[in-house]
């Protein structure tokens, strides 16, 4: 991150400028060109952007985000995408393959999540990503509570570490969010969580694993809690859903979290993360068809025709459905198990390295695939500054200040982890010698923890979102 200037008190201008690295090297289109551009020229230009940007990810130094990293895999998926890129999944009469692809993605996810079986009534949908799966689940439980129990002022009870898309969805859907605090072990405090439930609670949520620390909530206890109150339990497996089953199959003992756990009524699991599919799909599975039916929308009195829609989206790309299906069948269970072993082993190598060799850092919980660490002696954001300078892209956390590395296939190699540990040691040494210097990363450090700071931060973040949808600022 470049340094801020005196006229740039919040560092905002420099942050915004980083959004537009191509503003000088490539034409900025503020209107559709009168005459269409040359195909080869456009291909070359776009290839230039992609090559430049992939060079960062391909080094294997990025936490999360690039789950497969295998360009051959991406290439095959893109070929399959191309076959159906123009297809609208809504038009099933023309494109019955979409029904095959979607039905089979759901069936494969259900089997992986142990939702199938002779008496099973489990079912699911495919969505555009983790956020849509979570928000759809909230909508489903809100409708269920309204229709079955007359709940008009709905609330949902979630651990503080549950993904923020739930807060966003609840905001959109008029649902109050009650955040349960964590205990010393960074897992949700069950007693305090249960105290937040009342007659207007539509559901509770647990994660497997959560975004910040990668830990699995005590799902069996949450299942019993949900049953005691006669409400649903959604498990957010957006991140871990397509990874944890294979880690468990490889013989690692982990907290049970899928449909085998009594009380679990729905699970989100993202195909575009550890399913290694192209970006833009996730699965939302339900224990029963009657629960899923609450997310359906029908409107018979519309001049455009009898309208029925299973979820948020209208038109959807057939290319994404086809390529997601392809990712699952190309990987196969053996491919997923192999990748899971490499990822788990890499995470353990990282944990052991930090615990044994870097006493200034504390690993949070017992990581399975995502390693989060904090420090009581060095400024963790200074550590991040130095890691960034050495080419590592970490995820910075707050409350408490911490960093995490979510291990994916591009980083799951012993030599990459060894290099990371070496750089992490050097970064801790840098943070020790630069104690008191304001960190460059986590630019809002010092604001985030206070209410006044959060208001300022929300203002600045709003400006950043504006900038993400704007043309580059003129000089
Ligand atoms: C646990 C968890 N849930 C939900 C999401 C949101 O997923 P998406 O970015 O696909 O909307 C994420 C994203 O990282 C996540 O880690």
């Amino acid at each position: 991150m470049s340094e801020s200037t005196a006229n740039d008190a919040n560092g905002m201008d420099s942050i915004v400028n980083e959004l537009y690295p191509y503003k000088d090297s490539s034409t900025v289109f503020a209107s559709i060109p009168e005459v269409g551009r040359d195909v080869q020229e456009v291909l070359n230009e776009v290839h230039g952007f992609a090559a430049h940007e992939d060079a960062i990810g391909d080094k294997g130094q990025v936490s999360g985000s690039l789950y497969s990293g295998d360009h051959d895999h991406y290439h095959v998926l893109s070929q399959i995408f191309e076959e159906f890129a123009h297809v609208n999944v809504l038009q099933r009469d023309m494109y019955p393959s979409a029904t095959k692809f979607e039905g089979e993605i759901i069936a494969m996810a259900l089997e992986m999540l142990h939702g199938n079986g002779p008496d099973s009534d489990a079912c699911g949908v495919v969505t555009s990503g983790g956020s849509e799966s979570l928000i759809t689940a909230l909508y489903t439980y809100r409708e269920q509570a309204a229709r079955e129990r007359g709940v008009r002022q709905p609330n949902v009870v979630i651990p503080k570490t549950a993904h923020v898309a739930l807060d966003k969805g609840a905001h959109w859907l008029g649902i109050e969010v009650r955040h349960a605090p964590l205990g010393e072990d960074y897992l949700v405090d069950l007693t305090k969580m249960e105290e937040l439930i009342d007659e207007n609670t539509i559901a509770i949520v647990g994660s497997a694993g959560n975004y910040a620390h990668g830990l699995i909530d005590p799902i069996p206890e949450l299942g019993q809690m949900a049953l005691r109150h006669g409400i649903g339990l959604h498990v957010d497996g957006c991140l871990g859903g397509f990874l944890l089953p294979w880690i468990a199959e490889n013989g690692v003992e982990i907290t049970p979290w899928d449909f085998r756990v009594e009380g679990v009524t729905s699970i989100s699991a993202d195909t575009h993360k550890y399913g290694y599919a192209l970006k833009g799909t996730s699965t939302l599975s339900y224990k029963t068809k009657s629960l899923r039916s609450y997310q359906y929308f029908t409107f018979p009195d519309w001049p455009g025709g009898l309208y029925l829609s299973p979820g948020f989206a209208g038109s959807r790309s057939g290319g994404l459905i086809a390529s997601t299906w392809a990712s699952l069948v190309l990987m196969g269970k053996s491919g997923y198990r192999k990748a899971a072993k490499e990822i788990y082993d890499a995470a353990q190598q990282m944990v052991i390295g930090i615990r044994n060799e870097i006493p200034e850092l504390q690993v949070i919980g017992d990581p399975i695939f995502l390693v989060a660490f904090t420090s009581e002696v060095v400024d963790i954001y200074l550590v991040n500054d130095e890691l960034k300078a050495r080419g590592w892209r970490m995820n910075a956390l707050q409350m408490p200040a911490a960093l995490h590395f979510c291990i994916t296939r591009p980083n799951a190699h012993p030599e990459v982890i060894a290099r990371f540990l070496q750089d992490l040691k050097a970064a801790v040494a840098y943070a020790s010698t630069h104690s008191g210097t304001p960190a460059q990363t986590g630019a809002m450090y010092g604001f985030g923890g206070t209410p006044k700071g959060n208001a300022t931060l929300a203002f600045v973040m709003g400006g950043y979102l504006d900038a993400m949808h704007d043309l580059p600022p003129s000089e």
Side-chain angles (χ1 to χ4, degrees), residues 239-306:
L239 185 56
F242 270 86
L243 178 66
L244 294 170
W246 316 112
I247 291 182
E249 279 200 13
N250 287 339
V252 178
E253 213 172 298
I254 58 174
T255 307
W257 61 275
D258 65 16
F259 282 119
R260 286 171 294 184
V261 177
E262 234 194 341
V264 171
T265 46
S266 57
I267 301 177
S268 46
D270 288 1
T271 30
H272 72 184
K273 293 191 174 78
Y274 289 105
Y276 310 122
L278 298 177
K279 288 292 182 219
T281 61
S282 164
T283 60
L284 173 57
S285 302
Y286 292 104
K287 182 99 180 160
T288 63
K289 291 195 176 65
S290 68
L291 183 56
R292 179 176 66 179
S293 70
Y294 286 114
Q295 75 160 73
Y296 291 171
F297 181 80
T298 53
F299 196 80
D301 305 321
W302 182 50
L306 289 170

Side-chain angles (χ1 to χ4, degrees), residues 67 128-132 134 161-165 207-212 236-240 268 270 272-273 281-282:
Y67 294 87
S128 65
S131 298
E132 189 185 330
L134 291 178
T161 40
H163 196 271
V164 67
S207 306
N210 65 52
Y211 168 81
D236 177 9
C238 286
L239 185 56
S268 46
D270 288 1
H272 72 184
K273 293 191 174 78
T281 61
S282 164

Side-chain angles (χ1 to χ4, degrees), residues 244-447:
L244 294 170
W246 316 112
I247 291 182
E249 279 200 13
N250 287 339
V252 178
E253 213 172 298
I254 58 174
T255 307
W257 61 275
D258 65 16
F259 282 119
R260 286 171 294 184
V261 177
E262 234 194 341
V264 171
T265 46
S266 57
I267 301 177
S268 46
D270 288 1
T271 30
H272 72 184
K273 293 191 174 78
Y274 289 105
Y276 310 122
L278 298 177
K279 288 292 182 219
T281 61
S282 164
T283 60
L284 173 57
S285 302
Y286 292 104
K287 182 99 180 160
T288 63
K289 291 195 176 65
S290 68
L291 183 56
R292 179 176 66 179
S293 70
Y294 286 114
Q295 75 160 73
Y296 291 171
F297 181 80
T298 53
F299 196 80
D301 305 321
W302 182 50
L306 289 170
Y307 184 77
L308 67 157
S309 170
F312 179 78
S315 298
R316 283 187 299 150
S317 163
L320 277 180
I321 298 276
S323 58
T324 297
W325 172 88
S327 186
L328 302 184
V329 300
L330 286 167
M331 286 294 297
K333 288 180 177 171
S334 60
Y336 282 116
R337 277 188 218 107
K338 180 171 178 295
K341 173 158 175 36
E342 288 162 5
I343 290 167
Y344 177 78
D345 288 349
Q348 301 320 303
Q349 184 188 348
M350 190 179 281
V351 170
I352 291 166
I354 297 173
R355 285 199 176 133
N356 289 352
E357 295 166 39
I358 317 182
E360 294 87 346
L361 302 179
Q362 286 87 50
V363 173
I364 293 177
D366 284 318
I368 303 169
F369 65 96
L370 179 156
V371 183
F373 49 87
T374 182
S375 179
E376 286 176 6
V377 289
V378 290
D379 178 343
I380 205 75
Y381 298 131
L382 282 174
V383 174
N384 196 24
D385 280 359
E386 183 59 17
L387 284 174
K388 189 181 175 198
R390 289 166 180 259
W392 298 95
R393 189 175 185 280
M394 305 291 292
N395 294 98
L397 315 170
Q398 58 174 355
M399 298 184 288
L403 302 177
H404 88 213
F405 203 111
C406 178
I407 314 274
T408 62
R409 287 170 75 199
N411 15 78
H413 304 284
E415 68 283 1
V416 175
I417 304 298
R419 201 153 26 89
F420 173 75
L421 287 169
Q422 232 173 30
D423 283 343
L424 183 58
K425 259 185 238 169
V428 168
Y430 168 88
S432 302
T433 50
H434 288 75
S435 171
T437 317
Q440 297 270 302
T441 56
M444 307 304 163
Y445 183 56
F447 282 87

